[in-house]
Amino acid sequence: MDDPLKYRVFSTRMNSLDSTRKLNIKTKVGFQDFIYSLADVHVASSTKEVSSYISTFVMCLKSKHFTRQRSVMALEAWFMDDSNEDQRLPHHRNPKEFVTVDYLADLGVVHWKLNHENYENDSKLSKIREERGYDYMDLLDLCPEKVSNYEEKLKNFFTEHIHKDEEIRYCLEGSGYFDVRDKDDRWIRILMKPGDLIVLPAGIYHRFTLDTSNYIKLMSLFVGEPVWTPYNRPQEEHPVRKEYIKSLTQKFGETIRGY
């Protein structure tokens, strides 16, 4: 079981005098939860035989690989459906299709889980800022009561665009969603909760919306003076977009088409 992130089929052949029987144990391992199901037991073996194979399999599920995976998957992300319903809803597919932090990292999205309750004195945050050159910071309370033209601004945030520089956001209170496009142009929804710090790479198509709570407090970080300029899609000829596509091609080992 080398790859606990993918759907796996654990197959063992049980030989007997009269036939060769197969015990298939299908498992699903989600990025956040540790979920599995046992099915397709096509055997007429004794209860003791079946129990033995199941016990061995459960030991695999409890291995360090699965334990480690649960501990690192603090960020929730999933492929979105194609519904035109309220943008503030989760928009899960049916069935749900979660996305791993490793997959997001391949797209250039970086994540840290920090102590938001002590952000002013957080040494880990200070180290990240120092190492990455984030020397400018501001705070934004985004909600109808504190932002003029709230609905209009939320609509602008939700328009698909790129930036010439990284977009760095740290959620201190509330919650909301960043959506990013993957290499196949599929939308991935990233849930931002208190403590989540993410970096979106320059050139990635993305957008932002609040969820149904209608409130989020974000810290924005920048290298140098802040530049908020969005470049709405399409931007396939933009130098930053071309550079981003080039980086995906190198990571995935295939030509990434423009959209």
Side-chain angles (χ1 to χ4, degrees), residues 31-178:
F31 82 100
Q32 178 188 19
D33 298 318
F34 173 79
I35 302 171
Y36 66 89
S37 61
L38 303 178
D40 300 333
V41 182
H42 305 302
V43 325
S45 304
S46 68
T47 302
K48 184 176 181 180
E49 285 180 297
V50 175
S51 297
S52 175
Y53 282 103
I54 292 177
S55 296
T56 301
F57 182 66
V58 170
M59 288 179 64
C60 292
L61 291 181
K62 292 181 179 180
S63 71
K64 63 180 181 180
H65 299 290
F66 286 86
T67 303
R68 177 182 58 81
Q69 186 56 38
R70 294 185 74 188
S71 67
V72 299
M73 288 315 218
L75 187 68
E76 297 183 43
W78 54 86
F79 286 114
M80 295 183 67
D81 64 17
D82 296 322
S83 169
N84 291 321
E85 290 185 283
D86 187 344
Q87 68 191 46
R88 299 170 301 170
L89 296 175
H91 286 276
H92 280 288
R93 292 183 177 182
N94 186 17
K96 296 178 180 179
E97 295 183 48
F98 291 110
V99 175
T100 70
V101 289
D102 288 337
Y103 188 77
L104 290 174
D106 284 340
L107 299 177
V109 178
V110 185
H111 170 256
W112 292 269
K113 194 71 174 182
L114 303 178
N115 181 9
H116 63 284
E117 295 179 345
N118 189 36
Y119 70 88
E120 293 178 326
N121 302 300
D122 186 358
S123 60
K124 188 174 181 180
L125 175 61
S126 297
K127 183 178 180 181
I128 293 170
R129 292 186 61 180
E130 181 180 356
E131 290 179 347
R132 299 179 70 93
Y134 301 149
D135 53 2
Y136 184 97
M137 179 271 287
D138 65 20
L139 300 176
L140 171 66
D141 281 301
L142 187 56
C143 60
E145 296 77 20
K146 295 186 177 182
V147 176
S148 59
N149 300 319
Y150 171 78
E151 293 295 338
E152 180 181 347
K153 289 186 177 179
L154 197 61
K155 182 178 179 181
N156 291 337
F157 292 153
F158 201 62
T159 300
E160 188 173 358
H161 60 278
I162 66 171
H163 294 295
K164 292 172 63 176
D165 302 297
E166 292 178 336
E167 182 163 349
I168 309 103
R169 299 292 182 267
Y170 181 17
C171 180
L172 302 176
E173 297 176 16
S175 51
Y177 299 117
F178 274 101

Side-chain angles (χ1 to χ4, degrees), residues 204-242:
I204 191 172
Y205 282 128
H206 67 282
R207 62 191 183 187
F208 173 79
T209 184
L210 275 78
D211 59 16
T212 53
S213 69
N214 283 318
Y215 175 69
I216 194 169
K217 182 175 182 177
L218 292 171
M219 175 189 292
S220 300
L221 298 171
F222 299 90
V223 177
E225 289 298 312
V227 179
W228 294 88
T229 307
Y231 296 87
N232 293 344
R233 188 172 184 171
Q235 292 294 332
E236 304 314 317
E237 297 306 313
H238 195 292
V240 171
R241 177 63 183 173
K242 287 184 175 181

Side-chain angles (χ1 to χ4, degrees), residues 1 8-16 19-26 38-45 49-58 60:
M1 311 237 356
R8 309 293 293 171
V9 176
F10 179 84
S11 300
T12 304
R13 293 195 177 276
M14 296 182 294
N15 297 317
S16 65
S19 65
T20 299
R21 306 183 182 98
K22 181 186 292 186
L23 171 62
N24 287 331
I25 302 176
K26 293 184 178 179
L38 303 178
D40 300 333
V41 182
H42 305 302
V43 325
S45 304
E49 285 180 297
V50 175
S51 297
S52 175
Y53 282 103
I54 292 177
S55 296
T56 301
F57 182 66
V58 170
C60 292

